[in-house]
Amino acid sequence: MSDHTTDIAIVGAGPVGLFAIFECGMLKMRCHVIDALEALGGQCAALYPEKPIYDIPGFPEIRADRIVEHLAEQAAPFDPVYHLGQQVSALTPKGERWLVETSAGTRIDARAVIVAAGGGAFGANRPPLPRLAEFEGHSVFYLVKRREDFRGKRIVIAGGGDSALDWVLSLAELAEKIYVVHRRPKFRGTPDSVARLHALAENDGPVELVVPYQLSGLEGEGGRLEAVTVKTLEGETRRLDAEILLPFFGLSMNLGPIADWGLALDHGQVAVDPTNCQTSAPGVFAVGDIASYPGKLKLILCGFSEAAMAAHAIYGLVHPDQALHWEYSTTKGVPGHK
Ligand SMILES: Cc1cc2nc3c(=O)[nH]c(=O)nc-3n(C[C@H](O)[C@H](O)[C@H](O)COP(=O)(O)OP(=O)(O)OC[C@H]3O[C@@H](n4cnc5c(N)ncnc54)[C@H](O)[C@@H]3O)c2cc1C
């Protein structure tokens, strides 16, 4: 257990939470940042670290993990205090301040709170297989953090949407074998990906379509997968000799504890005033994917702008006796830079 006092508590260390540290720091406000994940970067780090992003202004193309590294570097001069691997479970008013409490017993007393919690607690949809938990994290993965980990492997990729197809196309370059298991012959990915998938499957390469089959069981010991069994709706079964299973059945996101904090919600997101990103609770702001207002776009670049607006609105709460003098970063500079 640990107790802290700060200017701002930021819930979520995704790209938008990280940029909020910078914006707050530029206005002389200290931040503590809490994330349920063990690493910084939210969806970028957890779901698609090696994918290129093309719509970050100023970067024609940048990998998701690289943008996270840049954001963490940009925030570093402002000495953020990170509390990772713990979920914010409670948010309670304390006079004009707020008390943020986490699953690990951390308590943070802050003048304002920025909720940058993305889709809330997000997780992959898990296939209903016996003994699944035994293999998760060892042989069954819901995301690909490093392609190289799959070089020379025998892999089952299950699912018919874009994620499944993207990874079949990508891993086909380095895997020994890829079985693509889908419950119907028609795939839901983009037409280009579907065409490339069929072309690969018709070649003599590593890709084999296993349709229309569904996952039915896992074989192996001590977390090491040896085979995946699949079956058709008619009960016909096959045993696929594989050491890795990558199920891509989509993500489910839910607000988790955030839904109980008394904030006005809008279809599973936190409703905010679009002029400053304040929620229905004074002193509590929401930015990034979790924030909802008319015309909201769930894009990183919009989240960056919302973080700037929230920081400027919070300034008056943290520094009530100091008028905010507008300055560009080019004029003001950043600690550690000339
Ligand atoms: C495959 C894919 C491709 C994408 N491509 C693009 C693209 O090209 N361009 C683009 O702009 N956007 C893209 N996006 C969307 C982009 O990733 C999101 O808009 C962005 O991540 C939102 O950032 P965020 O910081 O608001 O939330 P997130 O990245 O979701 O981060 C939120 C963080 O909050 C944490 N959290 C949630 N609840 C709690 C809690 N109670 N306690 C503690 N921590 C909590 C979560 O663990 C998470 O780390 C893509 C998304 C996906 C899935």
Side-chain angles (χ1 to χ4, degrees), residues 12 14-16 35-37 42-43 48 53 55 87-88 116-118 288-289 299-300:
V16 179
D35 203 299
L37 300 174
Q43 295 175 44
Y48 59 106
I53 306 180
D55 57 356
Q87 192 178 45
V88 175
D289 277 12
L299 287 174
I300 296 169

Side-chain angles (χ1 to χ4, degrees), residues 14-132:
V16 179
L18 292 176
F19 192 63
I21 303 168
F22 173 83
E23 284 295 325
C24 295
M26 291 295 276
L27 297 178
K28 300 193 168 25
M29 301 187 288
R30 292 288 315 276
C31 298
H32 279 236
V33 187
I34 314 100
D35 203 299
L37 300 174
E38 291 288 349
L40 304 181
Q43 295 175 44
C44 293
L47 301 182
Y48 59 106
E50 294 183 341
K51 284 202 172 192
I53 306 180
Y54 301 101
D55 57 356
I56 302 293
F59 292 95
E61 175 183 345
I62 182 164
R63 267 172 46 155
D65 56 355
R66 300 270 185 270
I67 186 80
V68 172
E69 282 168 22
H70 284 305
L71 287 165
E73 187 185 331
Q74 199 170 15
F78 302 104
D79 298 324
V81 181
Y82 293 112
H83 306 271
L84 300 179
Q86 40 195 301
Q87 192 178 45
V88 175
S89 45
L91 177 65
T92 0
K94 198 181 163 195
E96 284 196 325
R97 300 179 65 84
W98 289 91
L99 182 66
V100 171
E101 293 173 274
T102 80
S103 51
T106 305
R107 292 155 49 98
I108 301 166
D109 177 329
R111 177 62 184 91
V113 175
I114 297 180
V115 183
F122 63 86
N125 291 326
R126 302 162 74 235
L129 295 175
R131 300 179 60 206
L132 179 65

Side-chain angles (χ1 to χ4, degrees), residues 300-320:
I300 296 169
L301 73 93
C302 297
F304 288 167
S305 151
E306 292 154 14
M309 287 197 294
H312 282 78
I314 293 170
Y315 180 86
L317 304 178
V318 172
H319 301 293

